[in-house]
Amino acid sequence: MWECPRWIEVYPHITGRVHAQTSPSTAYSTEATIQHAKKLVALFETNGIPKSRVCIKIPATPESIVACNYLERLGIRTLATCLFSVPQAMAAHQAGCLYVAPYFNGSAPFLLPPPILTPPYRNLKELRVHFEPGVWKEYGDTAREHPMAPVIGAIVQLYKGIGARTLVMPASIVTAKEVLALVSLKPDHLTLSGAVLDQLATAESPAFLDEDPKPHHPELPLESDPAGTKPTEPVNEPNVTGINFLENGAAALREAFAADAETSRKMADALKIFGEMEEKTKELLRAALKA
């Protein structure tokens, strides 16, 4: 699925990377994910967009995190999407992903002990806020009350503490108010839709937006080597100290999923939604080709 349906026209006007996502049908197959990512990169190159300007979005399942690590070693940059928990973020860092995209709407509990977070974590907002009326919930103080805010905040602080080069770029954002709440958590980038950008154009800016802007990561040029650490390098963070999330086919990440029913459910739901949208897109294209 393309990040932008008219990417060839848009490409001359951007300075960063273009993004494309591997099929949800490959999410639980390391080899299929690798092959689809390579196919996408080859398609970009055929149309004059070099590998150095491409980033492949890949759902952060155990199988696909292993694929991310392999692709990064080939020089194909990756973004771990469908990300709901700190273990997934740590695995993405160890895999060398350029980005992680934790979903703000579509949240889940994560495996860090108090005092970082306290219960309850359940019955949280779903990715379906983008498709089903009545699912989205508004909070009085989004940065403090939204159930995904502390998860993203913890990932940001975790990466800062271990010196990770993987960048945090939250996604699944519904309103300008959510954008302002996320900015206060100090992620590296945000994924914004046109509708949210329109809201921001008329939104009142809080005081913290008057601060000097954060450096735009000049240490990560387009041609940079794969980010992150080798899979065998231990990390020093509560609940993940010494855990190698990639060894033995990402067995530790698989265990983290098994211990966290909400993250597992939300991953399955996200992949189901993406799969449905992918099939509808194919049906639309088939009909157009027959016309």
mmCIF file of all heavy atoms in Angstrom, residues 96-120:
data_model
loop_
_atom_site.group_PDB
_atom_site.id
_atom_site.type_symbol
_atom_site.label_atom_id
_atom_site.label_comp_id
_atom_site.label_asym_id
_atom_site.label_seq_id
_atom_site.Cartn_x
_atom_site.Cartn_y
_atom_site.Cartn_z
ATOM 1 N N GLY A 96 17.479 -2.336 14.251
ATOM 2 C CA GLY A 96 18.077 -1.259 13.479
ATOM 3 C C GLY A 96 17.089 -0.434 12.687
ATOM 4 O O GLY A 96 17.479 0.268 11.752
ATOM 5 N N CYS A 97 15.794 -0.501 13.005
ATOM 6 C CA CYS A 97 14.800 0.271 12.265
ATOM 7 C C CYS A 97 15.096 1.763 12.333
ATOM 8 O O CYS A 97 15.542 2.270 13.368
ATOM 9 C CB CYS A 97 13.403 0.020 12.834
ATOM 10 S SG CYS A 97 12.798 -1.668 12.628
ATOM 11 N N LEU A 98 14.835 2.443 11.248
ATOM 12 C CA LEU A 98 15.011 3.891 11.230
ATOM 13 C C LEU A 98 13.941 4.572 12.071
ATOM 14 O O LEU A 98 14.212 5.549 12.768
ATOM 15 C CB LEU A 98 14.957 4.406 9.790
ATOM 16 C CG LEU A 98 15.058 5.920 9.604
ATOM 17 C CD1 LEU A 98 16.372 6.459 10.163
ATOM 18 C CD2 LEU A 98 14.902 6.299 8.145
ATOM 19 N N TYR A 99 12.706 4.077 11.995
ATOM 20 C CA TYR A 99 11.591 4.651 12.730
ATOM 21 C C TYR A 99 10.798 3.570 13.458
ATOM 22 O O TYR A 99 10.772 2.410 13.043
ATOM 23 C CB TYR A 99 10.597 5.326 11.771
ATOM 24 C CG TYR A 99 11.063 6.570 11.074
ATOM 25 C CD1 TYR A 99 11.415 6.523 9.732
ATOM 26 C CD2 TYR A 99 11.109 7.796 11.728
ATOM 27 C CE1 TYR A 99 11.809 7.675 9.057
ATOM 28 C CE2 TYR A 99 11.500 8.950 11.071
ATOM 29 C CZ TYR A 99 11.857 8.880 9.730
ATOM 30 O OH TYR A 99 12.252 10.018 9.074
ATOM 31 N N VAL A 100 10.105 3.999 14.513
ATOM 32 C CA VAL A 100 8.962 3.253 15.039
ATOM 33 C C VAL A 100 7.761 4.184 14.958
ATOM 34 O O VAL A 100 7.890 5.403 15.121
ATOM 35 C CB VAL A 100 9.159 2.777 16.495
ATOM 36 C CG1 VAL A 100 10.244 1.726 16.573
ATOM 37 C CG2 VAL A 100 9.448 3.939 17.437
ATOM 38 N N ALA A 101 6.600 3.612 14.680
ATOM 39 C CA ALA A 101 5.368 4.398 14.585
ATOM 40 C C ALA A 101 4.336 3.848 15.569
ATOM 41 O O ALA A 101 3.445 3.088 15.188
ATOM 42 C CB ALA A 101 4.824 4.376 13.157
ATOM 43 N N PRO A 102 4.460 4.218 16.845
ATOM 44 C CA PRO A 102 3.436 3.783 17.806
ATOM 45 C C PRO A 102 2.103 4.436 17.484
ATOM 46 O O PRO A 102 2.039 5.625 17.171
ATOM 47 C CB PRO A 102 3.997 4.267 19.156
ATOM 48 C CG PRO A 102 4.943 5.370 18.807
ATOM 49 C CD PRO A 102 5.498 5.046 17.464
ATOM 50 N N TYR A 103 1.047 3.642 17.542
ATOM 51 C CA TYR A 103 -0.287 4.155 17.213
ATOM 52 C C TYR A 103 -0.866 4.881 18.423
ATOM 53 O O TYR A 103 -1.021 4.286 19.489
ATOM 54 C CB TYR A 103 -1.215 3.012 16.821
ATOM 55 C CG TYR A 103 -0.999 2.470 15.424
ATOM 56 C CD1 TYR A 103 0.018 2.959 14.609
ATOM 57 C CD2 TYR A 103 -1.807 1.464 14.931
ATOM 58 C CE1 TYR A 103 0.205 2.462 13.341
ATOM 59 C CE2 TYR A 103 -1.622 0.964 13.651
ATOM 60 C CZ TYR A 103 -0.609 1.470 12.860
ATOM 61 O OH TYR A 103 -0.417 0.974 11.599
ATOM 62 N N PHE A 104 -1.229 6.141 18.236
ATOM 63 C CA PHE A 104 -1.823 6.887 19.334
ATOM 64 C C PHE A 104 -3.241 6.407 19.580
ATOM 65 O O PHE A 104 -3.659 6.194 20.715
ATOM 66 C CB PHE A 104 -1.804 8.387 19.011
ATOM 67 C CG PHE A 104 -2.052 9.247 20.208
ATOM 68 C CD1 PHE A 104 -1.246 9.147 21.327
ATOM 69 C CD2 PHE A 104 -3.087 10.181 20.221
ATOM 70 C CE1 PHE A 104 -1.465 9.949 22.444
ATOM 71 C CE2 PHE A 104 -3.309 10.984 21.322
ATOM 72 C CZ PHE A 104 -2.495 10.872 22.442
ATOM 73 N N ASN A 105 -4.016 6.235 18.536
ATOM 74 C CA ASN A 105 -5.342 5.636 18.649
ATOM 75 C C ASN A 105 -5.243 4.196 18.173
ATOM 76 O O ASN A 105 -5.007 3.930 17.011
ATOM 77 C CB ASN A 105 -6.353 6.420 17.824
ATOM 78 C CG ASN A 105 -6.638 7.776 18.412
ATOM 79 O OD1 ASN A 105 -7.206 7.873 19.492
ATOM 80 N ND2 ASN A 105 -6.211 8.833 17.736
ATOM 81 N N GLY A 106 -5.422 3.296 19.105
ATOM 82 C CA GLY A 106 -5.152 1.892 18.874
ATOM 83 C C GLY A 106 -4.135 1.478 19.907
ATOM 84 O O GLY A 106 -3.156 0.799 19.642
ATOM 85 N N SER A 107 -4.349 1.932 21.149
ATOM 86 C CA SER A 107 -3.352 1.817 22.197
ATOM 87 C C SER A 107 -3.423 0.486 22.917
ATOM 88 O O SER A 107 -4.350 -0.279 22.781
ATOM 89 C CB SER A 107 -3.552 2.952 23.213
ATOM 90 O OG SER A 107 -4.883 2.980 23.660
ATOM 91 N N ALA A 108 -2.386 0.236 23.714
ATOM 92 C CA ALA A 108 -2.287 -1.038 24.414
ATOM 93 C C ALA A 108 -1.400 -0.895 25.629
ATOM 94 O O ALA A 108 -0.602 0.029 25.721
ATOM 95 C CB ALA A 108 -1.709 -2.108 23.490
ATOM 96 N N PRO A 109 -1.524 -1.798 26.601
ATOM 97 C CA PRO A 109 -0.620 -1.791 27.741
ATOM 98 C C PRO A 109 0.776 -2.187 27.317
ATOM 99 O O PRO A 109 0.983 -2.718 26.243
ATOM 100 C CB PRO A 109 -1.223 -2.860 28.660
ATOM 101 C CG PRO A 109 -1.919 -3.776 27.726
ATOM 102 C CD PRO A 109 -2.457 -2.904 26.634
ATOM 103 N N PHE A 110 1.753 -1.946 28.176
ATOM 104 C CA PHE A 110 3.105 -2.356 27.849
ATOM 105 C C PHE A 110 3.795 -2.863 29.099
ATOM 106 O O PHE A 110 3.346 -2.639 30.210
ATOM 107 C CB PHE A 110 3.895 -1.230 27.190
ATOM 108 C CG PHE A 110 4.167 -0.058 28.085
ATOM 109 C CD1 PHE A 110 5.417 0.152 28.603
ATOM 110 C CD2 PHE A 110 3.151 0.817 28.402
ATOM 111 C CE1 PHE A 110 5.660 1.226 29.427
ATOM 112 C CE2 PHE A 110 3.396 1.898 29.219
ATOM 113 C CZ PHE A 110 4.652 2.107 29.734
ATOM 114 N N LEU A 111 4.889 -3.527 28.895
ATOM 115 C CA LEU A 111 5.492 -4.291 29.978
ATOM 116 C C LEU A 111 6.608 -3.526 30.670
ATOM 117 O O LEU A 111 7.785 -3.843 30.568
ATOM 118 C CB LEU A 111 6.010 -5.622 29.423
ATOM 119 C CG LEU A 111 4.957 -6.458 28.690
ATOM 120 C CD1 LEU A 111 5.576 -7.720 28.150
ATOM 121 C CD2 LEU A 111 3.787 -6.778 29.602
ATOM 122 N N LEU A 112 6.267 -2.490 31.395
ATOM 123 C CA LEU A 112 7.201 -1.813 32.277
ATOM 124 C C LEU A 112 6.555 -1.697 33.647
ATOM 125 O O LEU A 112 5.359 -1.442 33.755
ATOM 126 C CB LEU A 112 7.554 -0.420 31.751
ATOM 127 C CG LEU A 112 8.537 -0.352 30.588
ATOM 128 C CD1 LEU A 112 8.818 1.115 30.260
ATOM 129 C CD2 LEU A 112 9.851 -1.040 30.928
ATOM 130 N N PRO A 113 7.301 -1.856 34.715
ATOM 131 C CA PRO A 113 6.720 -1.865 36.053
ATOM 132 C C PRO A 113 6.457 -0.460 36.576
ATOM 133 O O PRO A 113 7.004 0.512 36.066
ATOM 134 C CB PRO A 113 7.811 -2.549 36.882
ATOM 135 C CG PRO A 113 9.082 -2.156 36.191
ATOM 136 C CD PRO A 113 8.743 -2.123 34.727
ATOM 137 N N PRO A 114 5.619 -0.289 37.621
ATOM 138 C CA PRO A 114 5.497 0.990 38.295
ATOM 139 C C PRO A 114 6.877 1.405 38.815
ATOM 140 O O PRO A 114 7.728 0.546 39.039
ATOM 141 C CB PRO A 114 4.531 0.697 39.445
ATOM 142 C CG PRO A 114 3.793 -0.534 38.995
ATOM 143 C CD PRO A 114 4.773 -1.304 38.179
ATOM 144 N N PRO A 115 7.167 2.713 38.995
ATOM 145 C CA PRO A 115 6.185 3.791 38.964
ATOM 146 C C PRO A 115 5.966 4.403 37.589
ATOM 147 O O PRO A 115 5.329 5.446 37.480
ATOM 148 C CB PRO A 115 6.818 4.826 39.899
ATOM 149 C CG PRO A 115 8.280 4.655 39.668
ATOM 150 C CD PRO A 115 8.486 3.169 39.468
ATOM 151 N N ILE A 116 6.516 3.808 36.530
ATOM 152 C CA ILE A 116 6.375 4.411 35.203
ATOM 153 C C ILE A 116 4.912 4.495 34.804
ATOM 154 O O ILE A 116 4.460 5.482 34.271
ATOM 155 C CB ILE A 116 7.187 3.610 34.171
ATOM 156 C CG1 ILE A 116 8.667 3.679 34.538
ATOM 157 C CG2 ILE A 116 6.966 4.127 32.768
ATOM 158 C CD1 ILE A 116 9.546 2.822 33.661
ATOM 159 N N LEU A 117 4.155 3.445 35.054
ATOM 160 C CA LEU A 117 2.714 3.467 34.798
ATOM 161 C C LEU A 117 2.012 2.681 35.885
ATOM 162 O O LEU A 117 2.568 1.762 36.465
ATOM 163 C CB LEU A 117 2.384 2.831 33.449
ATOM 164 C CG LEU A 117 2.434 3.710 32.199
ATOM 165 C CD1 LEU A 117 1.968 2.909 31.013
ATOM 166 C CD2 LEU A 117 1.574 4.950 32.359
ATOM 167 N N THR A 118 0.779 3.026 36.120
ATOM 168 C CA THR A 118 -0.040 2.253 37.042
ATOM 169 C C THR A 118 -1.321 1.864 36.331
ATOM 170 O O THR A 118 -1.745 2.532 35.390
ATOM 171 C CB THR A 118 -0.379 3.084 38.294
ATOM 172 O OG1 THR A 118 -0.989 4.315 37.890
ATOM 173 C CG2 THR A 118 0.872 3.396 39.098
ATOM 174 N N PRO A 119 -1.995 0.779 36.746
ATOM 175 C CA PRO A 119 -3.240 0.360 36.120
ATOM 176 C C PRO A 119 -4.304 1.440 36.284
ATOM 177 O O PRO A 119 -4.186 2.317 37.133
ATOM 178 C CB PRO A 119 -3.602 -0.915 36.889
ATOM 179 C CG PRO A 119 -2.287 -1.386 37.446
ATOM 180 C CD PRO A 119 -1.537 -0.134 37.778
ATOM 181 N N PRO A 120 -5.414 1.398 35.513
ATOM 182 C CA PRO A 120 -5.738 0.324 34.578
ATOM 183 C C PRO A 120 -5.227 0.615 33.170
ATOM 184 O O PRO A 120 -5.064 1.760 32.793
ATOM 185 C CB PRO A 120 -7.271 0.324 34.577
ATOM 186 C CG PRO A 120 -7.612 1.772 34.790
ATOM 187 C CD PRO A 120 -6.543 2.325 35.706
#
